[in-house]
């Protein structure tokens, strides 16, 4: 994805809020409720963020009513945009330690 395309994705309403809130794995409904974003819009924004490799499907746990729920988590810790001599973008992926900690926490929660 080009720098200009990434800037466009990040500039769309709700995308940065969803990224910030998805530090911990959350469902689209949880993100919608927490951020006061209409659920249909939330799903569209999640799809857009997935296409940009900024957010990922983390898990599909069973809900209380025994349905599979998609849970998303952001793939990055930061994005830096610089406009000196053109546009340059630096993405910092989530650390392996953060991903492992999430896995341990999820396993403990399911136990």
């Amino acid at each position: 994805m080009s720098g200009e395309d990434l800037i466009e994705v990040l500039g769309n309403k709700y995308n940065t809020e969803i990224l910030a809130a998805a530090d911990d794995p959350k469902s689209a409904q949880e993100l919608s409720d927490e951020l006061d974003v209409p659920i249909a819009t939330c799903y569209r924004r999640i799809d857009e963020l997935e296409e940009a490799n900024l957010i990922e499907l983390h898990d599909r746990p069973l809900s209380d009513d025994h349905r599979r729920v998609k849970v998303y988590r952001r793939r990055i810790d930061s994005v830096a945009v610089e406009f000196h001599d053109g546009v340059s973008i630096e993405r910092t992926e989530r650390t392996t330690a953060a991903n492992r900690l999430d896995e341990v926490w999820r396993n403990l929660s399911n136990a």
Side-chain angles (χ1 to χ4, degrees), residues 82-102:
E82 188 173 307
F83 298 101
H84 184 359
D85 294 329
V87 176
S88 69
I89 296 179
E90 182 178 324
R91 298 163 44 142
T92 305
E93 301 290 323
R94 286 178 58 93
T95 64
T96 304
N99 290 339
R100 286 189 186 145
L101 184 58
D102 283 346

Side-chain angles (χ1 to χ4, degrees), residues 1-13 15-16 45 48-49 52 54 89:
M1 173 171 279
S2 74
E4 290 82 9
D5 291 338
L6 185 57
I7 289 171
E8 185 175 334
V9 168
L10 292 172
N12 285 342
K13 190 172 182 178
N15 283 355
T16 55
R45 297 300 183 229
E48 186 174 37
L49 292 166
L54 298 174
I89 296 179

Side-chain angles (χ1 to χ4, degrees), residues 7-95:
I7 289 171
E8 185 175 334
V9 168
L10 292 172
N12 285 342
K13 190 172 182 178
Y14 303 122
N15 283 355
T16 55
E17 291 91 345
I18 290 171
L19 282 173
D23 182 38
D24 296 320
K26 293 182 183 164
S27 70
Q29 188 64 58
E30 289 171 320
L31 290 166
S32 173
D33 292 345
E34 180 179 327
L35 301 171
D36 197 28
V37 175
I39 189 66
T41 301
C42 195
Y43 277 116
R44 282 194 306 273
R45 297 300 183 229
I46 288 170
D47 287 344
E48 186 174 37
L49 292 166
E50 275 188 303
E51 287 179 24
N53 289 321
L54 298 174
I55 202 167
E56 66 187 355
L57 178 63
H58 175 68
D59 197 6
R60 291 188 50 132
L62 282 175
S63 68
D64 292 339
D65 54 351
H66 303 290
R67 292 185 293 161
R68 291 279 173 198
V69 177
K70 291 181 178 180
V71 176
Y72 300 92
R73 173 181 71 185
R74 73 172 185 237
R75 295 186 57 161
I76 58 167
D77 279 331
S78 66
V79 175
V81 179
E82 188 173 307
F83 298 101
H84 184 359
D85 294 329
V87 176
S88 69
I89 296 179
E90 182 178 324
R91 298 163 44 142
T92 305
E93 301 290 323
R94 286 178 58 93
T95 64

